[in-house]
Amino acid sequence: MVRSSRPNSASSDEHSRIRVVVRVRPPIQEDYDHSFEAYEECVNVIPHTGDNPSKFLTLTRSHTDERDFMFDLVLGSDIQQSSMYGVVAEDIVNDVLQGFNGTVMAYGQTGTGKTHTIFGDIGNFQGINASGRVDSVSAKAGVIPRAVQQIFDHIEQNQEETEFQVTLSYTQLYKENIYDLLDEDRSGKILHLRESSRTGVYVDGLTALAVTSGTHLLDIVSVASKRRVMAGTSMNQLSSRSHVIMFITVEQRPKQTDPMAPDPVRRGVLAIVDLAGSERVSKTMSEGSRLDEAKKINQSLSALGNCVAALSSGSGHVPLRDSKLTRLLTDSLGGNTKTVICATVGPAECNYDETYSTLLFASRCMNVRTHATINEV
Ligand code: ADP
């Protein structure tokens, strides 16, 4: 699997930056259970005016100490999955279908809705037409099933004049080791990152599976996702202990009637990233191997935070090499990619510190510039 970071320049978007959407989830039982005394909320989404979506929220502690934040969008707890998809990922997927690279990344404390946003109800696509197109997904479907639906809808509508090839790669970064989630024999083989001047950073030996339909892709993802390392922590009954990144590559070539005409191939790579929880080790009350996991998660997310801080302040050195996560995300962080970050937060005041830290990270991301270019290969 290769992500092209040194494409030929066909058309470029020189002046864009990472888009940041904050999503606030509704209160859940854990919020009441973890509240020290009475349950209090610390996040207040400032209502939008007219048809404009909200961009502002305030964070308060003990009804005082108010901090204001502005993002590209703030999604309140009443926002349904279909509306979330429309504002978080739809444009990026359109860009990928034009030949740009795109990244959709969820960042936040455990239990705040990263997996809900990225996966949601993935295995429950209801209507499937004869060609394997996903006709309708469940109301709870997240970014992945909806993106797959959008991609294969586009293919079905354009297949007379264009030839498409879609490939899927799916990787897990657990304790700073990279694994292939499409590896059927579950050998647990550790893969390594390589870098070349032509292709940039890539995972050597990562499976790139050709998929023939939306349902084919989602079936594979449903099975492969069960290989992700999950565990119970004090934050959540079942939380993701690894970062996962899915790459959906869409390659397209016009069907030529003139054999002498040039045959340009465009390749857009969609990276969908579900990061492990960003809470501090002390918050998970982990021990033994769980503690080791938590430390590794913290290390890689600190490295991510440091890179974003360096990129947003414009400081010369960006420490992308400090972790495998940041090396893997080199393009998504200010490189040849259109990136949207969905920062998820819970409403409860007992998680004030984690929420504040997520919002600070998200604010810094707003200043990270990217320079996506259509990939002609
Ligand atoms: P994370 O991946 O950040 O650890 P999850 O996605 O597992 O968190 O969410 C924790 C719980 O909260 C799940 O039960 C999930 O269904 C619920 N949840 C998260 N976000 C929302 C939302 N926007 N609306 C309704 N329920 C949500």
Side-chain angles (χ1 to χ4, degrees), residues 23 25-26 28 109-116 236:
R23 188 178 199 193
R25 79 146 159 66
I28 54 173
Q109 179 189 5
T110 291
T112 51
K114 296 180 298 300
T115 305
H116 178 74
N236 211 0

Side-chain angles (χ1 to χ4, degrees), residues 11-23:
S11 159
S12 68
D13 180 2
E14 295 289 344
H15 303 293
S16 57
R17 58 168 176 81
I18 291 182
R19 274 185 75 239
V20 180
V21 179
V22 171
R23 188 178 199 193

Side-chain angles (χ1 to χ4, degrees), residues 210-249:
V211 284
T212 50
S213 69
T215 51
H216 182 206
L217 196 158
L218 290 178
D219 279 338
I220 295 167
V221 170
S222 294
V223 173
S225 296
K226 299 197 173 86
R227 298 178 193 133
R228 183 174 188 182
V229 181
M230 310 282 279
T233 68
S234 66
M235 294 299 303
N236 211 0
Q237 283 179 341
L238 209 55
S239 73
S240 314
R241 312 305 294 156
S242 66
H243 311 295
V244 293
I245 309 181
M246 177 182 301
F247 298 101
I248 302 176
T249 303

